[in-house]
Amino acid sequence: GKEGSSSNPCSETYLGEEVESEPETRNTVNAFRAFAPIIGAIDWHSYSQLIIRPYGDSYADSPDEEQLYSLGEAMASTICEVHGSIYENIKGVELYPTSDWF
């Protein structure tokens, strides 16, 4: 598999049988395509308590890094105030390298 993914079906980072092979991924990609152009997205992982911003394939800053970082920090702060949960605001590549597809 590619860096950051596994070809082992039992792995948490299993890359799947083919591109967009999983229904969740396929539906997300289809929604992004249907509503294009989408100018941004933030992903939050409640299991790991992470707010993930671009990029997943590079440590370089996104052109919108300042705004995305601030938004992620605001989200983390609000989640903490409302639910008491601590979320970390990170670039996707800090979790594991992925391919940024949109």
Side-chain angles (χ1 to χ4, degrees), residues 19-20 23-35 101:
V19 173
E20 301 170 23
E24 299 87 348
T25 304
R26 189 171 42 253
N27 290 334
T28 300
V29 170
N30 288 341
F32 273 76
R33 288 179 179 146
F35 295 106
W101 56 266

Side-chain angles (χ1 to χ4, degrees), residues 29 32 39 52-53 70 83 94:
V29 170
F32 273 76
I39 59 170
I52 300 174
R53 63 184 193 281
S70 294
H83 300 288
E94 294 176 46

Side-chain angles (χ1 to χ4, degrees), residues 4 13 45 48 50 52 55-56 59 90-98:
T13 59
H45 287 228
S48 302
L50 298 172
I52 300 174
Y55 292 119
Y59 284 95
I90 66 169
K91 291 181 180 181
V93 72
E94 294 176 46
L95 181 58
Y96 53 80
T98 64

Side-chain angles (χ1 to χ4, degrees), residues 43-64:
D43 189 7
W44 66 92
H45 287 228
S46 57
Y47 176 80
S48 302
Q49 296 182 303
L50 298 172
I51 296 169
I52 300 174
R53 63 184 193 281
Y55 292 119
D57 61 347
S58 169
Y59 284 95
D61 285 347
S62 157
D64 302 307

